Amino acid sequence: QVQLVQSGAEVKKPGSSVKVSCKTSGGTFSSYTLSWVRQAPGQGLEWVGRIIPILDIPNYAQNFQGRVTITADKSTSTAYMVLSSLRYEDTAVYYCARALEIGSSWFMDYWGQGTLVTVSS
Amino acid sequence: SYVLTQPPSVSVAPGKTARITCEGNNIGGKSVHWYQQKPRQAPVLVIYDGGDRPSGIPERFSGSKYGYTATLTISRVEAGDEADYSCQVWDSPTEHFVFGTGTKVTVL
């Protein structure tokens, strides 16, 4: 059974950075693609970016280009997301999720429990 | 950027059928996936590749597509189906995941 366990809640000041981790178990980490999705209070789901650990290649949503870095540590089966230059509107729950490819499409079948990031002065 | 539009809310009586739509340009050429999210919980995949159900998802959940609209249908609705539902596609040109705006399903 695949499990994704995320790090705990964070409170950060505007302009600072936050690092969220996502430790996976079950399955083969190198064969995963891991995505990050966020959800602001009362809002819908927004894709942040993803990484293919076996290739170490990330790609990011346009809204986050230049502010987000996603990495993967194959030795610990853990993915990380760093979001920098934090703004009040970055306050949200951040989820990691395993992404699978089917045909020419991708979807997310296993999700972490979410990490609340609060940006507050 | 690619946009998926859903109605903000759908209300349905227990035992009836709920239909949640997802509209997008040329959605007919894309595979649509659906997620259920209950308050303070992570999303759960309920339909992938248009109409397939992951293990553990009841047969009451089904997916379809016609023209510019994909639809998630929940038959014989139960109180436990009350949740937010979001559609999602993969936008190949940009290699981005795109989520719909989300629909809150209320069981009356």
Side-chain angles (χ1 to χ4, degrees), chain A residues 43-61:
Chain A
Q43 302 299 308
L45 301 171
E46 180 180 23
W47 182 64
V48 176
R50 70 167 181 167
I51 189 162
I52 306 172
I54 196 169
L55 301 175
D56 232 356
I57 296 176
N59 71 307
Y60 306 124

Side-chain angles (χ1 to χ4, degrees), chain A residues 77-110:
Chain A
S77 300
T78 303
Y80 299 92
M81 181 203 69
V82 175
L83 187 62
S84 59
S85 302
L86 287 170
R87 311 159 183 161
Y88 294 113
E89 53 266 37
D90 291 320
T91 295
V93 176
Y94 290 77
Y95 295 100
C96 64
R98 186 181 79 163
L100 288 183
E101 185 176 21
I102 184 164
S104 58
S105 182
W106 288 82
F107 61 94
M108 302 175 206
D109 63 342
Y110 287 97

Side-chain angles (χ1 to χ4, degrees), chain A:
Chain A
Q1 177 78 350
V2 174
Q3 284 193 308
L4 290 78
V5 178
Q6 299 182 224
S7 49
E10 302 264 12
V11 180
K12 294 292 183 179
K13 293 196 183 302
S16 66
S17 298
V18 66
K19 185 174 186 177
V20 182
S21 67
C22 172
K23 184 166 177 58
T24 71
S25 60
T28 304
F29 182 72
S30 294
S31 68
Y32 288 5
T33 290
L34 279 158
S35 258
W36 289 90
V37 176
R38 81 174 183 183
Q39 186 170 38
Q43 302 299 308
L45 301 171
E46 180 180 23
W47 182 64
V48 176
R50 70 167 181 167
I51 189 162
I52 306 172
I54 196 169
L55 301 175
D56 232 356
I57 296 176
N59 71 307
Y60 306 124
Q62 208 148 6
N63 286 350
F64 299 94
Q65 286 277 359
R67 281 208 306 142
V68 69
T69 303
I70 296 174
T71 58
D73 183 343
K74 292 186 282 293
S75 68
T76 59
S77 300
T78 303
Y80 299 92
M81 181 203 69
V82 175
L83 187 62
S84 59
S85 302
L86 287 170
R87 311 159 183 161
Y88 294 113
E89 53 266 37
D90 291 320
T91 295
V93 176
Y94 290 77
Y95 295 100
C96 64
R98 186 181 79 163
L100 288 183
E101 185 176 21
I102 184 164
S104 58
S105 182
W106 288 82
F107 61 94
M108 302 175 206
D109 63 342
Y110 287 97
W111 294 68
Q113 82 276 19
T115 296
L116 175 62
V117 175
T118 303
V119 183
S120 173
S121 55

Side-chain angles (χ1 to χ4, degrees), chain B residues 9-18 76-83 104-108:
Chain B
S9 62
V10 166
S11 297
V12 58
K16 300 299 186 184
T17 298
R76 302 180 299 283
V77 164
E78 302 173 357
D81 298 330
E82 188 162 282
K104 180 175 179 57
V105 170
T106 300
V107 181
L108 300 171

Side-chain angles (χ1 to χ4, degrees), chain B residues 20-23 27 32 34 64-72 87:
Chain B
I20 304 147
T21 58
C22 174
E23 295 186 5
I27 200 171
V32 182
W34 291 91
S64 61
K65 197 167 49 176
Y66 183 77
Y68 283 165
T69 303
T71 302
L72 173 69
C87 57

